[in-house]
Amino acid sequence: QEGGSETKFNYEVVQGRNEGEGGGGSGSRVGKVKCRGIEFATPSWIPYCNKGGIPSLGTELTLNAHELSRELIPVLQFSFEEFGQHSTTLQKFNQDLHNYVGDHSKSRCVYMAVHDPHIYSVMPCSKKLWIQTPAGRIQMTLKDYISFISYTKPDFFACLSHEVPFSATKKQSFKVVDISLQWLKESISLIQSQSATSTHPFNIFAVIHATQDEMSRKKSVMETIKFDDNLSGYLISGVGLGDDIQNRRNIITEILSNIPQSKPRLVSRIGNPGEVLDCIDLGIDLFNSDYPTFASENGLAITFPFADPWWNETGIRDEERNLGQMNLRDKRYLLDKGALYPSCGCFTCKNHTAAYIHHLLATHEMLAAILLSIHNIYHYQQFFAA
Amino acid sequence: ELVEGTRRETVKATLDSTCSSGAVEDDSPALKFKVLKTWGRARVAELQLPHHTFKTPVFMPVGTQGTIKGLTTSQVESIGCPIILGNTYHLGHRPGGDVMEALGGLHKFMNWKRNILTDSGGFQMVSLLKFAQITEQGVTFESPHDGSTMLLTPEKSIQLQNQIGADIIMALDDVVSSTLQDEARIEEAMHRTIRWIDRCISAHSRKHDQNLFAIVQGGLNPTLRRQCVSELIKRNLPGYAIGGLSGGEQKDKFAQIVAFTAPLLPTNKPRYLMGVGYATDLVVCVCLGVDMFDCVFPTRTARFGTALMNVEGGGLNLKKSELKTDFGRLDKECKCEVCETYSRSYLHGLVVGGGEKELGQLLTYHNLSYQMRLMKGLQDGIMEGNLDEVVREFFKK
């Protein structure tokens, strides 16, 4: 394909589950994404970022200072919801979003989502997208979005869509799916006309709505896959918004068994390890959430064990570590000279004690969230690696 | 263990070199101060402390509660800060002296390999005045956090500072606000400070590795200041501070008192002016012969969205709306990592768009880099003999 094949988003399945095993869906697989020379394995977590980068941790400069290298975090997710209102500024800037947020060597991939995974606000469902700004709500059209993409040049992005929860009504579901399909069509034709003048590959993820309304859901799948050749992947939208586990399983299985296995599948808002494992089992490859950083805001260190040597050791200091979450605010850590998590290789565990972090939380210091986030992210990514 | 081992080695090295050179007083086993060059009253010196050796004049960032707000110790180290402050009153409250001792002292607690200076808690007499009751015995503080009371005596302050383990500890002095018009109170405070220094000296149990500095009081009254200095010098301490200033008094009075008091202090010992951090004040006071400064200003103003730089007014307020489309470098003179990476537009976006925490971190990093660069510029001016040019250039901007 024209326009610099190395900027194209490539995905391949490295190892899939045996086709014969288990029900319908494609099942779990290990994959490899290659984009702009950056390679990373899936299943993988994509951290939510606000304008300042990963909450409390920032972008390239501070991430590297905290030893969260691009090998550990290869992708960052930003959103149109947050950056869209600054379109004019970004257009004047005349360089990529990478440069704007301080990643001048473009060492990490940028994924542009429409909606952030950490909040959900109900917006009217119309031919335009509403986004909330400090000065009130503004409307953006599809053309606005594609222009935005063309000058921020993210490595891959989600197609414009509204986000409705699993519990959406028949009427809502129908409307949302209809609009998403229109927007997908228009996006692709706009992209194709752009490719005459631009070498940027526009790696687009189409949106499939996982609603409870069967007819809309099926239409979403069937009509979307017709564009498969133009797509880099699929975003399954609507999960993580009030759906229960069993329904989620059924619906995801149904969806995934009807879309090509050769493209990666992304979900937003799913971060809890149990739920992540569940989705991986069904064949989801990418998870966009703020799970580890959300925990740090609340003084929690994530320590759930997985395929880990110390699981079998005796002399484990603390029940809490075994159970998966340590509440560092608890007074039991007042004199705890050990690291948060024995044998953890993160910056925090190599350099600081649980007692210090307990103190930082007790005194409401910013550094608490920073140190906890570093550990939580590191631990979370080790979980994905395992 | 590594930090502890290194520290013991450093202290031992200090003792060894002290004994062999024989050029330092025996009452400063943990400190060595060697003036390298002077220019007028200003001087560059090498200050050797148990954890680290560095050059003065130096600016010391304040890490009140055991952290420089928003930065890890490795970031503070990479900025080049050789010494930071901790606060005895706050740390004595949380986590408390006994916990601090059990965890091996503040260096180990916060994992900072270089030097620490602890303030005695004296300044809180001014900053938390409405919560404080001052008597000959000491100061009774009522905590703003939970209403509990703490009696801070000279003995208690020194005991806490011994437990915290800083390289330099400050005597508990009777501090009055420099804007107070009550001459009688100022005089009382000056005399009490002298009585308290002897109590501090008696209580100090780690003279071999912690340096006790006395603090000169006396308000804006030269006579009182002179009296205080002559008494404190008799105690032959490793270093001396000028306290009770930078509390909002008029700038010309402030400069006069510093100009008067600094030369009275011994030339062969460090002179520390407490609570001073505005660039202009630093430049002036270095010229008047001061070696050490501390202030919350650079870090605090960072968290409120101001980047320090050599422009009129001393800094750039990133909230200004015209910065929205200013894609230029934050500070065209600064080579710190923040200035190398982020544009003004991006930083402005953080102020107005909910990224205050991340912005606070970045500006703190820049502002401290600015302070280090300022001091280095003054040091170079003294060493190269062109301090007057450096100062003139500074004031032009």
Side-chain angles (χ1 to χ4, degrees), chain A residues 341-352:
Chain A
Y341 187 95
S343 75
C344 176
C346 82
F347 174 88
T348 302
C349 292
K350 286 194 300 192
N351 290 294
H352 292 290

PDB file of all heavy atoms in Angstrom, chain A residues 341-352:
ATOM      1  N   TYR A 341       6.211  -4.598  46.985  1.00  0.00           N
ATOM      2  CA  TYR A 341       6.029  -5.936  46.445  1.00  0.00           C
ATOM      3  C   TYR A 341       7.410  -6.567  46.284  1.00  0.00           C
ATOM      4  O   TYR A 341       8.220  -6.071  45.524  1.00  0.00           O
ATOM      5  CB  TYR A 341       5.335  -5.811  45.089  1.00  0.00           C
ATOM      6  CG  TYR A 341       4.914  -7.099  44.455  1.00  0.00           C
ATOM      7  CD1 TYR A 341       3.620  -7.568  44.618  1.00  0.00           C
ATOM      8  CD2 TYR A 341       5.787  -7.829  43.666  1.00  0.00           C
ATOM      9  CE1 TYR A 341       3.218  -8.743  44.015  1.00  0.00           C
ATOM     10  CE2 TYR A 341       5.396  -9.002  43.063  1.00  0.00           C
ATOM     11  CZ  TYR A 341       4.100  -9.455  43.236  1.00  0.00           C
ATOM     12  OH  TYR A 341       3.708 -10.618  42.634  1.00  0.00           O
ATOM     13  N   PRO A 342       7.664  -7.599  47.033  1.00  0.00           N
ATOM     14  CA  PRO A 342       9.011  -8.187  46.945  1.00  0.00           C
ATOM     15  C   PRO A 342       9.315  -8.644  45.529  1.00  0.00           C
ATOM     16  O   PRO A 342       8.461  -9.147  44.840  1.00  0.00           O
ATOM     17  CB  PRO A 342       8.934  -9.368  47.912  1.00  0.00           C
ATOM     18  CG  PRO A 342       7.500  -9.622  48.147  1.00  0.00           C
ATOM     19  CD  PRO A 342       6.769  -8.374  47.894  1.00  0.00           C
ATOM     20  N   SER A 343      10.490  -8.455  45.104  1.00  0.00           N
ATOM     21  CA  SER A 343      10.986  -8.882  43.791  1.00  0.00           C
ATOM     22  C   SER A 343      10.379  -8.108  42.610  1.00  0.00           C
ATOM     23  O   SER A 343      10.518  -8.497  41.476  1.00  0.00           O
ATOM     24  CB  SER A 343      10.784 -10.384  43.563  1.00  0.00           C
ATOM     25  OG  SER A 343       9.423 -10.659  43.281  1.00  0.00           O
ATOM     26  N   CYS A 344       9.712  -6.990  42.902  1.00  0.00           N
ATOM     27  CA  CYS A 344       9.211  -6.171  41.795  1.00  0.00           C
ATOM     28  C   CYS A 344      10.338  -5.303  41.257  1.00  0.00           C
ATOM     29  O   CYS A 344      11.104  -4.744  42.030  1.00  0.00           O
ATOM     30  CB  CYS A 344       8.064  -5.279  42.279  1.00  0.00           C
ATOM     31  SG  CYS A 344       7.457  -4.136  41.025  1.00  0.00           S
ATOM     32  N   GLY A 345      10.426  -5.186  39.941  1.00  0.00           N
ATOM     33  CA  GLY A 345      11.524  -4.429  39.350  1.00  0.00           C
ATOM     34  C   GLY A 345      11.217  -2.980  39.056  1.00  0.00           C
ATOM     35  O   GLY A 345      11.991  -2.299  38.386  1.00  0.00           O
ATOM     36  N   CYS A 346      10.113  -2.467  39.560  1.00  0.00           N
ATOM     37  CA  CYS A 346       9.752  -1.100  39.209  1.00  0.00           C
ATOM     38  C   CYS A 346      10.567  -0.096  40.006  1.00  0.00           C
ATOM     39  O   CYS A 346      11.147  -0.430  41.035  1.00  0.00           O
ATOM     40  CB  CYS A 346       8.252  -0.848  39.422  1.00  0.00           C
ATOM     41  SG  CYS A 346       7.791  -0.481  41.117  1.00  0.00           S
ATOM     42  N   PHE A 347      10.585   1.132  39.538  1.00  0.00           N
ATOM     43  CA  PHE A 347      11.345   2.205  40.173  1.00  0.00           C
ATOM     44  C   PHE A 347      10.963   2.370  41.641  1.00  0.00           C
ATOM     45  O   PHE A 347      11.809   2.523  42.513  1.00  0.00           O
ATOM     46  CB  PHE A 347      11.086   3.512  39.402  1.00  0.00           C
ATOM     47  CG  PHE A 347      11.685   4.722  40.030  1.00  0.00           C
ATOM     48  CD1 PHE A 347      12.987   5.100  39.743  1.00  0.00           C
ATOM     49  CD2 PHE A 347      10.954   5.513  40.915  1.00  0.00           C
ATOM     50  CE1 PHE A 347      13.548   6.226  40.317  1.00  0.00           C
ATOM     51  CE2 PHE A 347      11.504   6.643  41.495  1.00  0.00           C
ATOM     52  CZ  PHE A 347      12.806   6.988  41.199  1.00  0.00           C
ATOM     53  N   THR A 348       9.672   2.320  41.917  1.00  0.00           N
ATOM     54  CA  THR A 348       9.201   2.518  43.280  1.00  0.00           C
ATOM     55  C   THR A 348       9.692   1.414  44.209  1.00  0.00           C
ATOM     56  O   THR A 348      10.189   1.684  45.292  1.00  0.00           O
ATOM     57  CB  THR A 348       7.666   2.567  43.313  1.00  0.00           C
ATOM     58  OG1 THR A 348       7.224   3.615  42.464  1.00  0.00           O
ATOM     59  CG2 THR A 348       7.147   2.794  44.711  1.00  0.00           C
ATOM     60  N   CYS A 349       9.550   0.173  43.788  1.00  0.00           N
ATOM     61  CA  CYS A 349       9.951  -0.937  44.658  1.00  0.00           C
ATOM     62  C   CYS A 349      11.456  -1.030  44.799  1.00  0.00           C
ATOM     63  O   CYS A 349      11.956  -1.504  45.812  1.00  0.00           O
ATOM     64  CB  CYS A 349       9.360  -2.243  44.145  1.00  0.00           C
ATOM     65  SG  CYS A 349       7.566  -2.278  44.332  1.00  0.00           S
ATOM     66  N   LYS A 350      12.195  -0.564  43.804  1.00  0.00           N
ATOM     67  CA  LYS A 350      13.650  -0.606  43.923  1.00  0.00           C
ATOM     68  C   LYS A 350      14.150   0.495  44.849  1.00  0.00           C
ATOM     69  O   LYS A 350      15.208   0.373  45.442  1.00  0.00           O
ATOM     70  CB  LYS A 350      14.305  -0.430  42.543  1.00  0.00           C
ATOM     71  CG  LYS A 350      14.198  -1.661  41.675  1.00  0.00           C
ATOM     72  CD  LYS A 350      15.126  -1.605  40.470  1.00  0.00           C
ATOM     73  CE  LYS A 350      14.825  -0.413  39.588  1.00  0.00           C
ATOM     74  NZ  LYS A 350      15.500  -0.482  38.276  1.00  0.00           N
ATOM     75  N   ASN A 351      13.424   1.598  44.949  1.00  0.00           N
ATOM     76  CA  ASN A 351      13.954   2.762  45.651  1.00  0.00           C
ATOM     77  C   ASN A 351      13.229   3.177  46.925  1.00  0.00           C
ATOM     78  O   ASN A 351      13.762   3.969  47.692  1.00  0.00           O
ATOM     79  CB  ASN A 351      13.940   3.972  44.711  1.00  0.00           C
ATOM     80  CG  ASN A 351      14.952   3.837  43.602  1.00  0.00           C
ATOM     81  OD1 ASN A 351      16.145   3.838  43.846  1.00  0.00           O
ATOM     82  ND2 ASN A 351      14.474   3.657  42.394  1.00  0.00           N
ATOM     83  N   HIS A 352      12.023   2.675  47.109  1.00  0.00           N
ATOM     84  CA  HIS A 352      11.255   3.187  48.244  1.00  0.00           C
ATOM     85  C   HIS A 352      10.556   2.109  49.041  1.00  0.00           C
ATOM     86  O   HIS A 352      10.326   1.007  48.567  1.00  0.00           O
ATOM     87  CB  HIS A 352      10.218   4.203  47.747  1.00  0.00           C
ATOM     88  CG  HIS A 352      10.852   5.456  47.229  1.00  0.00           C
ATOM     89  ND1 HIS A 352      11.476   6.358  48.047  1.00  0.00           N
ATOM     90  CD2 HIS A 352      10.987   5.926  45.972  1.00  0.00           C
ATOM     91  CE1 HIS A 352      11.959   7.343  47.305  1.00  0.00           C
ATOM     92  NE2 HIS A 352      11.684   7.106  46.046  1.00  0.00           N
TER      93      HIS A 352
END
